[in-house]
Amino acid sequence: MKNLNALEAWFITGSQDLYGPETLKQVAVNSQEIVKGLNGSASHPVKIVYKPVVTTPDEITRVCMDANSSPSCIGLITWMHTFSPAKMWIAGLGSLGKPFLHLHTQFNRDIPWADIDMDFMNLNQSAHGDREFGFIGSRMRKERKVVVGHWQDPEVASSIELWLRVAAAWHESKQIRIARFGDNMREVAVTEGDKVEAQMKFGWAVNGYGIGELVAVIDQVTDKQIDLLCEELESEYMMQDVLRKRGDRHTSLRESARIELGLRTFLEEGGFGGFTDTFEDLHGMVQLPGLPVQRLMHDGYGFGAEGDWKMAAMLRTMKIMAAGLPGGNSFMEDYTYHFDPSGMRVLGAHMLEICSSIADGKPVCEIHELGIGGKADPVRLCFNVSEGPAINVSVLDMGNRFRILVNEVEAVLPPQDLPKLPTARVLWDPKPDLKTAAAAWIFAGGAHHTCYSQNLTAEHIMDFANMAGVEFLLIDKDTNLRDFKNEIRWNEVYYHMAKGL
């Protein structure tokens, strides 16, 4: 996983020369204290960097242009300590190519009732300085996040941290490269899409590679490399005896290790952040890459089955967004339903490829017949997933636009054991209920593939969609089908008109 500590968000305070040097000096001191406080109170992996107070159009334009050209700057946090006439911001905001967060705060938390005078009022004008700045953002139709509250409020720090994570992911998203081994699964619609438009919107560069190119790398793996990885696998997971060193199926574990080593080399040498495959196009490979995919996802790679490059890129983006947070993110699929009226639920799984970052406890390394794909029995990790809130995320190409769809869910433990199901699996209650959520998902064109997250929220994904300028739809506890269908209809009109006549 890429280290985000080298990334920065620039803290820009707006004012004007009218107040004189003493006031501007105090503005700078207060701004630096806010930056120090935010860096000390939040658990985000991105550093907030103080930049000198801007008071003229030229200064504003210069810092925006500098942010555009900085490889480490992921965006701006803006705050108007005093009044800052917003026409000064037009050229700068017009040139700004990175996201920004508008922090609507003030240095002091409380009004000093007994001591307040006009000097205090002139210095602490955020209440109307930020409204002036807010107007020009809206007038220019600039997408941004607005956070309101005192800068020492933990909720404010949390909101800023959330945005910083999304901005970091957006920054990295534009550098994501996805390798497609083979093509899309034949005749499947939802995993297709416009890769050129995706690169224009998200920055995702998606290109295809023949299986023979991967197999050539796999064939170069040495027995010594395989020996070392097999030892690591036996120490890291619980393992069926037949897969251990002297077990009857140990050769299958060795073949899985060979595939992982070759696949990892291919991805590292090519600078890829994710990949896809399809079991219809694995010529030259002995078994489907189950365990290798699970382990690569755990290490931060995105993955999409059956050629689903949108899920591979989105999963990589979400893993960047969640760096350092407890819990995990995984490729997922809605597999089958539990329609018991006393508790309708969804069983999520896939043939092989569920990331062990979401496992409840230590996974078990097993081998089972797959019954599809025409290859040797693949090795895979089997496990349940822990309880708790989660989201499912789907990225869709609707023809005239991309849509990001989210369903909030609550993972629960299976009421009974699943001794004959040889996959990783998670059981969840979709919000608001299965019938409403499934119908809304279908009306929205949601895919059967998703990205499942234990540590991100719908707000993370909404902020990302806003940065990308794509449609966002949420299915949550408040969803009703009439309003949801209307939202889809209104969005259709909006995105048609937004492109211009």
Side-chain angles (χ1 to χ4, degrees):
M1 176 61 68
K2 188 177 180 67
N3 187 348
L4 303 183
N5 292 333
L7 300 179
E8 302 173 347
W10 292 1
F11 191 94
I12 311 298
T13 306
S15 187
Q16 61 179 330
D17 290 328
L18 177 68
Y19 298 105
E22 290 304 315
T23 297
L24 291 176
K25 182 178 179 181
Q26 190 61 50
V27 167
V29 169
N30 291 352
S31 297
Q32 291 175 69
E33 187 170 339
I34 290 176
V35 169
K36 182 179 179 181
L38 291 176
N39 279 326
S41 64
S43 58
H44 56 77
V46 176
K47 184 180 180 182
I48 300 174
V49 175
Y50 167 79
K51 292 292 179 176
V53 177
V54 291
T55 60
T56 68
D58 287 346
E59 290 175 351
I60 293 167
T61 301
R62 190 177 306 116
V63 75
C64 289
M65 296 295 287
D66 287 347
N68 288 342
S69 61
S70 170
S72 59
C73 177
I74 63 172
L76 308 183
I77 299 174
T78 58
W79 172 52
M80 307 304 113
H81 192 318
T82 64
F83 195 75
S84 179
K87 287 175 66 177
M88 295 195 304
W89 288 84
I90 292 175
L93 290 181
S95 66
L96 183 63
K98 294 189 176 180
F100 72 97
L101 178 148
H102 181 185
L103 177 59
H104 185 35
T105 189
Q106 62 186 27
F107 183 72
N108 59 296
R109 191 192 71 174
D110 303 326
I111 295 174
W113 305 106
D115 299 318
I116 188 169
D117 55 18
M118 283 311 301
D119 287 339
F120 180 93
M121 296 282 276
N122 285 332
L123 175 63
N124 297 282
Q125 297 189 53
S126 303
H128 70 289
D130 275 327
R131 292 170 193 255
E132 167 78 354
F133 179 72
F135 165 76
I136 205 63
S138 296
R139 177 65 176 82
M140 295 178 68
R141 310 304 194 263
K142 297 294 290 186
E143 184 59 56
R144 74 278 196 200
K145 188 178 183 74
V146 178
V147 175
V148 180
H150 191 251
W151 57 275
Q152 291 178 316
D153 184 343
E155 289 186 7
V156 169
S158 178
S159 294
I160 294 173
E161 179 200 350
L162 186 151
W163 180 85
L164 288 170
R165 288 186 170 278
V166 178
W170 174 243
H171 181 80
E172 296 299 313
S173 173
K174 288 176 281 187
Q175 305 172 51
I176 290 177
R177 301 183 65 212
I178 301 296
R180 296 184 79 210
F181 297 114
D183 199 357
N184 193 62
M185 184 177 175
R186 298 173 196 129
E187 306 295 349
V188 176
V190 77
T191 51
E192 293 279 16
D194 187 336
K195 295 188 286 293
V196 173
E197 185 68 16
Q199 189 164 356
M200 292 168 61
K201 278 290 184 184
F202 302 108
W204 302 337
V206 183
N207 290 292
Y209 296 85
I211 283 295
E213 295 179 77
L214 174 59
V215 171
V217 179
I218 292 173
D219 288 344
Q220 295 175 12
V221 174
T222 67
D223 286 342
K224 183 176 180 180
Q225 290 175 298
I226 295 172
D227 290 341
L228 291 173
L229 182 53
C230 285
E231 291 177 9
E232 178 184 331
L233 295 173
E234 288 199 37
S235 65
E236 189 166 345
Y237 309 111
M238 295 187 286
M239 185 167 291
Q240 286 179 322
D241 288 340
V242 293
L243 290 174
R244 295 186 179 275
K245 190 168 185 178
R246 292 178 176 78
D248 295 339
R249 307 298 299 274
H250 183 64
T251 54
S252 296
L253 183 69
R254 291 183 64 82
E255 186 60 37
S256 178
R258 183 191 305 276
I259 293 171
E260 177 183 333
L261 290 162
L263 185 52
R264 191 180 293 273
T265 297
F266 191 102
L267 297 174
E268 289 177 352
E269 291 182 351
F272 296 104
F275 63 102
T276 72
D277 63 22
T278 171
F279 58 78
E280 289 180 322
D281 192 359
L282 290 173
H283 182 72
M285 297 181 67
V286 175
Q287 61 178 256
L288 275 72
L291 176 61
V293 172
Q294 291 177 295
R295 285 173 50 80
L296 285 163
M297 277 194 287
H298 189 277
D299 290 345
Y301 286 96
F303 172 76
E306 290 97 54
D308 197 342
W309 54 269
K310 296 189 295 298
M311 289 299 95
M314 190 67 205
L315 180 57
R316 169 61 178 169
T317 301
M318 291 168 61
K319 283 182 175 289
I320 294 169
M321 207 178 293
L325 294 176
N329 294 268
S330 177
F331 174 76
M332 187 58 68
E333 181 170 275
D334 294 59
Y335 226 98
T336 194
Y337 290 137
H338 184 62
F339 269 139
D340 184 344
S342 65
M344 296 186 183
R345 289 166 176 164
V346 180
L347 184 65
H350 204 255
M351 297 185 303
L352 302 169
E353 307 97 344
I354 301 298
C355 179
S356 58
S357 67
I358 64 172
D360 183 17
K362 197 171 187 178
V364 182
C365 190
E366 302 180 8
I367 184 169
H368 299 277
E369 181 181 359
L370 189 61
I372 191 170
K375 294 292 181 181
D377 298 339
V379 180
R380 81 291 303 268
L381 297 176
C382 297
F383 52 83
N384 288 322
V385 175
S386 57
E387 300 175 280
I391 56 172
N392 275 314
V393 182
S394 183
V395 181
L396 313 162
D397 185 342
M398 302 305 294
N400 64 339
R401 66 189 185 278
F402 283 102
R403 168 181 290 164
I404 299 183
L405 176 63
V406 173
N407 187 192
E408 294 182 344
V409 305
E410 185 75 22
V412 297
L413 295 180
Q416 299 181 38
D417 291 336
L418 301 161
K420 296 183 179 180
L421 183 62
T423 66
R425 59 269 176 160
V426 54
L427 189 68
W428 67 74
D429 291 330
K431 305 295 182 185
D433 56 75
L434 191 150
K435 287 186 176 182
T436 303
W441 193 269
I442 289 170
F443 279 123
H448 56 288
H449 290 163
T450 61
C451 298
Y452 178 92
S453 178
Q454 296 171 319
N455 48 25
L456 299 177
T457 66
E459 187 178 356
H460 287 93
I461 309 305
M462 179 180 67
D463 283 357
F464 178 80
N466 290 341
M467 289 179 190
V470 302
E471 181 184 13
F472 173 82
L473 289 174
L474 174 63
I475 304 169
D476 63 3
K477 63 181 179 60
D478 298 320
T479 297
N480 70 75
L481 288 178
R482 184 181 65 181
D483 291 346
F484 190 79
K485 290 169 69 176
N486 280 335
E487 184 177 0
I488 292 173
R489 295 187 184 105
W490 298 331
N491 286 0
E492 193 71 47
V493 174
Y494 168 79
Y495 283 97
H496 176 76
M497 298 298 293
K499 290 186 175 182
L501 298 175

